Amino acid sequence: MTPQARTRLAVVGKPDMGKSSHAKRLVKAWLTRGLRVVAVDPHDEYSKDGNPTRLVELGPLRKRMTALELARTPTAILEPRLSLSVVVGDSPRSAARGFMLVARLVRAAEKPCVLLVDEVGLWTNPARHPACHTAAAELATVAISDRKKGISLVVVSQRMAQIPSEVRSTVTDVHAFLQDQQADLEALEARCGQPFAGEVSQLRQFHHAAWSDVATQQKPTLRRVS
Amino acid sequence: MSDVSPELQAAALDFLAEEAKEARARAGAVNELLEDAAPKAAAGSTPTSDGTPAHDTHTLAQADFRDLAQLAWTFLDIAAVKLGGAHYKLAPDELERLLPPTEKVLRKYLPPDFVLSPEYVLAGTALAVYVPKLLTAPSDAPPAQGAQPS
């Protein structure tokens, strides 16, 4: 899929189901098409220079900066061929604050881009840190208001229910790997309908189902991710 | 950041200000910990549950000396009483009071990996308390001062 300004894509799936690899493949395809991409990257895995582990393949983004580095040189967000992973740390506080920085910079830059936010469930629970509440509100603002600024939003989460409800209601596309908890299936059903939620609950590892609001009448498609 | 738009600049500065605030708070917390730890470090390491500072050879040696002195004093006390011809009887809590110093002394002179069971401790205490009692014959003399007649 090629994201448009109105695109609000949710990639959801339990750990080790292929969700991150799928998101990285999407990013690679978008970069090939010349789109500007910035990722909020708690686990430092979306750039070529990320933190390599045996379990995670690194993503295709060309540049990697910490949130602090980006705050010191915010002009990095203005690059014409933006391909940036912003490493925000994987604590709720640092991830929430890092996301808010990137979201505000992307908005201020006023240039079309794809904003990918990984592991939103890490910081959307306000009980974890006061900054999480503000960050969740910021995410909703991006989802609702920033499409006119040409910002496409991609949220990656282990669980559909962890995506704030204001954001879920704006989602235009869902790529779902296996979800088996009742709350997640209910959230999927509320947005995508019961047949899609039913398909998602039956998925095998590395398989995902894709849903788009422009094709709600179509049967959900299953695709194998190699 | 002179060529940066005001919005971009504001977002970056807000983040930096917040991080600086957090860093100051963390530094303050670390300073408090250091200030708390400084007197303890000056006085020795953290005391153990029985009040003896650990990892401090000077203080440990003093404690051992106290224990040894206590045992030696008890030994001499009993021996003196017995040699004086009186029967020695332990005060109600005397054995319990003697067990901890016995354990410390045994631990001091036994190999570090030696498993010191309660039996060893009791045997050590008995050695200090009862051997003199057994070695000295009872007599009909009146009890010595500080000792209780049996």
Side-chain angles (χ1 to χ4, degrees), chain B residues 59-69 104-105 108-109:
Chain B
T59 322
L60 194 65
Q62 285 180 342
D64 282 351
F65 180 76
R66 276 201 307 273
D67 296 334
L68 272 174
K104 280 188 187 174
V105 170
K108 173 81 178 175
Y109 293 104

Side-chain angles (χ1 to χ4, degrees), chain B:
Chain B
M1 284 199 274
S2 57
D3 56 341
V4 181
S5 74
E7 293 84 6
L8 213 61
Q9 199 166 4
L13 289 176
D14 281 355
F15 179 86
L16 290 172
E18 198 67 32
E19 289 299 300
K21 194 171 137 189
E22 286 278 336
R24 274 197 298 274
R26 279 198 296 270
V30 170
N31 278 338
E32 278 180 22
L33 284 175
L34 287 174
E35 282 167 12
D36 285 351
K40 289 178 190 166
S45 56
T46 310
T48 55
S49 56
D50 62 0
T52 309
H55 311 300
D56 186 327
T57 51
H58 179 68
T59 322
L60 194 65
Q62 285 180 342
D64 282 351
F65 180 76
R66 276 201 307 273
D67 296 334
L68 272 174
Q70 188 179 350
L71 280 179
W73 179 254
T74 308
F75 184 94
L76 290 173
D77 191 22
I78 294 169
V81 170
K82 293 305 292 183
L83 289 172
H87 291 281
Y88 188 85
K89 189 177 179 183
L90 286 169
D93 61 346
E94 195 165 9
L95 187 62
E96 286 171 15
R97 284 192 289 109
L98 287 172
L99 282 173
T102 308
E103 182 183 2
K104 280 188 187 174
V105 170
L106 289 174
R107 284 198 189 284
K108 173 81 178 175
Y109 293 104
L110 288 170
D113 56 348
F114 189 87
V115 180
L116 191 58
S117 68
E119 287 79 10
Y120 281 106
V121 179
L122 199 59
T125 309
L127 196 69
V129 175
Y130 290 111
V131 168
K133 187 174 180 179
L134 292 172
L135 286 177
T136 52
S139 94
D140 295 324
Q145 193 178 2
Q148 300 170 18
S150 57

Side-chain angles (χ1 to χ4, degrees), chain A residues 44-45 48-58:
Chain A
D44 194 7
E45 59 182 274
K48 293 173 178 173
D49 300 326
N51 181 25
T53 67
R54 284 186 294 116
L55 301 174
V56 175
E57 62 176 284
L58 293 174

Side-chain angles (χ1 to χ4, degrees), chain A residues 96-97 99-100 123-124 126 129-141:
Chain A
R97 290 209 41 77
F99 164 74
M100 283 193 284
W123 49 264
T124 47
H129 192 275
C132 296
H133 179 73
T134 321
E138 185 76 38
L139 181 64
T141 305

